[in-house]
Amino acid sequence: MKVLTTISEVRSACAAARASGKRVGFVPTMGALHEGHLSLVRTARSESDFIVASIFVNPTQFGPNEDLAKYPRPFERDRELLEIEKVDLLFAPTVEEMYPPGATTFVHVEGMSEKLCGKSRPGHFRGVTTIVSKLFNIVDPDRAYFGQKDAAQAGIIKKMVRDLAYRTQVVVCPIVREPDGLAMSSRNVYLNAEEWKQALALSRALQGVRSAFDNGERGPSILRSAAETVFAGIPQVKLEYVEIVNPDTLDPVCDLSEGALVAVAAKIGGTRLIDNIVLPATK
Ligand code: AMP
């Protein structure tokens, strides 16, 4: 596996791979890799020929009081994991490489970036779409792999790809969970044993919604209250939102017949976690 840190080297390596007829598959990450990330790499490996992963803790997607400074950065371990997965190229740029002094251009998907996590994290999705757009310009992947774990992010990136005519196909891979149901996240390392148990409220709340749905409940507000009831029993967990939305627009849905995304965000101590499920179409 080549480890490269500059835009020009990555651009040349990807262009050479494409010129030799290889399909380029790309997995952007912020590192602190877990099985969720590795599942994206494995899917990429199974359907692309030249696999590029990136590790970049992107400052523009963090708010001023968020965890940018303490975000875990176990680079050597990440490098080894990607090597084992037979990644061809790891791009690990510095902040200065990605944001040269004076950079003032951003990509903002209007109408979606303000929704779900965008409400409490203003600027977050703008930071995500800016960095992903820049990475796409450098790697120019045939396919790019994202996790359903960040469902709003996946929807916003798909919209960006359509709106800006990127040639890249966005592939969204299922959520990988811990055996107890907690969605894997690089931020789970912040949780102590007690908080970990409390954090199970997110997946339990979503299971509550799913079982109400399976029992025939179709009212979004009743389904939402099935989730809220779970949080009401655990006051240490601060529910930020539970929303039932169209995954392509992130707008709330009233009619569930075409399926819907149920997304939840909550804080356990200082750790903010998200999770979601998809309710299937019923018509
Ligand atoms: P991050 O490093 O958190 O920016 O995540 C990089 C990519 O991995 C994103 O596309 C995430 O949606 C995806 N990802 C993170 N956690 C999971 C998970 N538990 N299951 C599947 N994909 C995930």
Side-chain angles (χ1 to χ4, degrees):
M1 181 177 75
K2 262 192 195 160
V3 181
L4 301 178
T5 56
T6 67
I7 292 171
S8 63
E9 290 171 307
V10 173
R11 201 168 252 151
S12 312
C14 294
R18 265 190 313 279
S20 67
K22 291 182 173 163
R23 293 164 302 180
V24 176
F26 178 42
V27 182
T29 82
M30 298 206 300
L33 302 179
H34 50 64
E35 280 295 314
H37 298 111
L38 299 181
S39 75
L40 306 188
V41 173
R42 286 171 200 144
T43 306
R45 182 83 270 166
S46 73
E47 52 186 46
S48 297
D49 310 302
F50 186 78
I51 310 306
V52 181
S54 63
I55 295 181
F56 181 64
V57 183
N58 174 34
T60 64
Q61 70 188 70
F62 287 77
N65 300 316
E66 294 183 357
D67 57 343
L68 173 62
K70 76 163 184 176
Y71 198 84
R73 292 165 169 88
F75 183 76
E76 266 317 300
R77 183 173 171 276
D78 287 348
R79 198 187 56 71
E80 281 166 25
L81 289 171
L82 295 173
E83 189 113 49
I84 291 165
E85 298 299 332
K86 303 204 178 347
V87 164
D88 296 284
L89 194 170
L90 168 58
F91 181 33
T94 60
V95 172
E96 294 69 36
E97 182 72 7
M98 293 310 282
Y99 294 105
T104 54
T105 305
F106 292 89
V107 176
H108 181 199
V109 178
E110 285 181 19
M112 287 181 84
S113 296
E114 305 75 18
K115 296 184 176 142
L116 298 182
C117 297
K119 274 187 206 154
S120 66
R121 304 185 73 193
H124 167 68
F125 287 126
R126 185 181 84 145
V128 170
T129 42
T130 300
I131 198 66
V132 170
S133 139
K134 189 151 183 173
L135 289 166
F136 281 9
N137 288 336
I138 297 162
V139 175
D140 189 14
D142 294 277
R143 290 181 179 174
Y145 298 82
F146 294 88
Q148 173 65 21
K149 157 80 179 1
D150 298 276
Q153 169 176 288
I156 290 170
I157 288 168
K158 280 186 188 166
K159 179 80 164 42
M160 177 189 87
V161 161
R162 277 195 303 272
D163 289 357
L164 296 183
Y166 278 101
R167 69 177 194 94
T168 302
Q169 186 192 331
V170 172
V171 180
V172 182
C173 304
I175 301 179
V176 178
R177 296 178 180 280
E178 299 286 352
D180 59 14
L182 185 66
M184 288 194 183
S185 163
S186 303
R187 292 189 166 97
N188 290 350
V189 297
Y190 299 150
L191 303 170
N192 63 32
E194 192 53 33
E195 290 171 333
W196 185 290
K197 275 191 228 146
Q198 295 162 355
L200 296 175
L202 281 85
S203 52
R204 285 220 322 272
L206 292 167
Q207 278 162 22
V209 174
R210 180 68 209 228
S211 41
F213 179 82
D214 289 343
N215 289 330
E217 182 55 60
R218 293 293 182 270
S221 60
I222 296 177
L223 289 168
R224 274 206 318 276
S225 55
E228 285 157 3
T229 311
V230 172
F231 287 97
I234 314 170
Q236 300 92 330
V237 180
K238 298 277 172 270
L239 177 62
E240 186 182 298
Y241 65 75
V242 46
E243 289 201 47
I244 303 183
V245 300
N246 176 326
D248 298 325
T249 62
L250 308 184
D251 287 326
V253 292
C254 307
D255 171 11
L256 294 182
S257 61
E258 289 180 16
L261 172 72
V262 186
V264 59
K267 257 192 165 179
I268 301 99
T271 306
R272 185 178 179 283
L273 298 178
I274 58 171
D275 198 352
N276 68 82
I277 54 168
V278 173
L279 298 177
T282 50
K283 30 180 205 204

